[in-house]
Amino acid sequence: MKKALLLLLCGGYSLTVAAQTGAWIRKSDIGSLLPAGPRGKSNAVGFAIGNRGYVGTGLESTLTNTDGQTRDFYAYDPATGSWTKRADFGGDPRTWAAGFSIGGKGYIGTGADSTVTSYRSDFWEYDSATDSWSQKADFGGGARFAAVGFSIGGKGYIGTGRYQGEDKSDLWQYDTAANTWTRKADFGGGARWGAVGFNIGDKGYIGTGNDQAGAYNADFWEYDPATDAWTRKADF
């Protein structure tokens, strides 16, 4: 009887763990650290360095200065479940910026003002060890907002986006050692803005987003830096 009870208890524990796999758990809000008390943020940019996540810039609807644009920047520690205010982003306040991380550094660039009438091409490096920002070479593709960024190995990539009503399909590679941008093969899915991207191993991925005609996209593409080529994958 004792053996049977032990097996039931062990089995029940296993079922509980299995049931929780893939579940979402709410963590500490970032809003409690925002200026003037708790509220939300939109169109921010984020990346990870080591075992911490970082979020910054974007819009805060009740902010009175700079028409809602922000420069504030925060680190999230999953071990403690807490947010910590870090040095403000080095560039002007903005929304719809793009970013990525390489090693112990994070990078943010491009974007627009809150009315999306003034566009940015500047590009900045964040050093998590010193909590400081330094300006780097402007983004090679020129000013835009709602672009997408990711990194593969020791190189960063920013592409797509929109400038004065014109959607973009270009992709640019950033070399941290040389502080230079190199144009790569245009995104395989065509011009768009508001897409999303990430990397897995030595491949990059971009999908979804809006095009110039106002259509929403579900296509999904893989970028291989070894061949500088795009391959279409299963739609999102």
Side-chain angles (χ1 to χ4, degrees), residues 18-215:
Q20 291 177 346
T21 300
W24 288 92
I25 301 172
R26 185 164 184 172
K27 310 303 283 184
S28 301
D29 289 358
I30 190 174
S32 61
L33 291 181
L34 299 180
R39 64 171 171 271
K41 180 185 280 286
S42 68
N43 301 339
V45 62
F47 50 74
I49 300 175
N51 61 352
R52 285 180 171 80
Y54 295 83
V55 174
T57 69
L59 291 175
E60 294 169 21
S61 60
T62 59
L63 202 64
T64 56
N65 67 298
T66 326
D67 199 22
Q69 303 167 76
T70 64
R71 298 174 55 234
D72 51 341
F73 190 66
Y74 305 87
Y76 178 72
D77 185 347
T80 61
S82 61
W83 291 92
T84 303
K85 178 77 168 63
R86 308 301 289 170
D88 284 353
F89 169 62
D92 294 333
R94 69 194 61 199
T95 182
W96 288 107
F100 54 79
S101 63
I102 298 174
K105 307 288 178 61
Y107 298 87
I108 294 178
T110 68
D113 64 2
S114 60
T115 60
V116 195
T117 55
S118 178
Y119 306 90
R120 311 281 192 263
S121 63
D122 56 329
F123 186 69
W124 294 76
E125 177 187 83
Y126 175 72
D127 187 333
S128 59
T130 61
D131 187 31
S132 61
W133 293 89
S134 56
Q135 188 166 6
K136 298 298 180 177
D138 284 0
F139 170 61
R144 67 187 63 195
F145 76 101
V148 63
F150 56 83
S151 62
I152 303 173
K155 301 291 194 300
Y157 297 83
I158 290 179
T160 68
R162 171 174 272 202
Y163 174 75
Q164 293 185 342
E166 177 189 358
D167 292 343
K168 303 287 189 176
S169 63
D170 52 339
L171 179 75
W172 293 77
Q173 180 192 78
Y174 179 69
D175 185 325
T176 58
N179 188 30
T180 56
W181 292 91
T182 303
R183 185 164 184 172
K184 310 303 285 185
D186 284 1
F187 170 58
R192 68 189 61 195
W193 63 281
V196 295
F198 55 85
N199 80 290
I200 299 175
D202 59 355
K203 303 292 197 308
Y205 298 87
I206 293 179
T208 69
N210 300 310
D211 64 21
Q212 205 148 355

Side-chain angles (χ1 to χ4, degrees), residues 4-15:
L5 180 58
L6 179 60
L7 287 172
L8 285 172
L9 289 172
C10 290
Y13 177 76
S14 298
L15 288 172

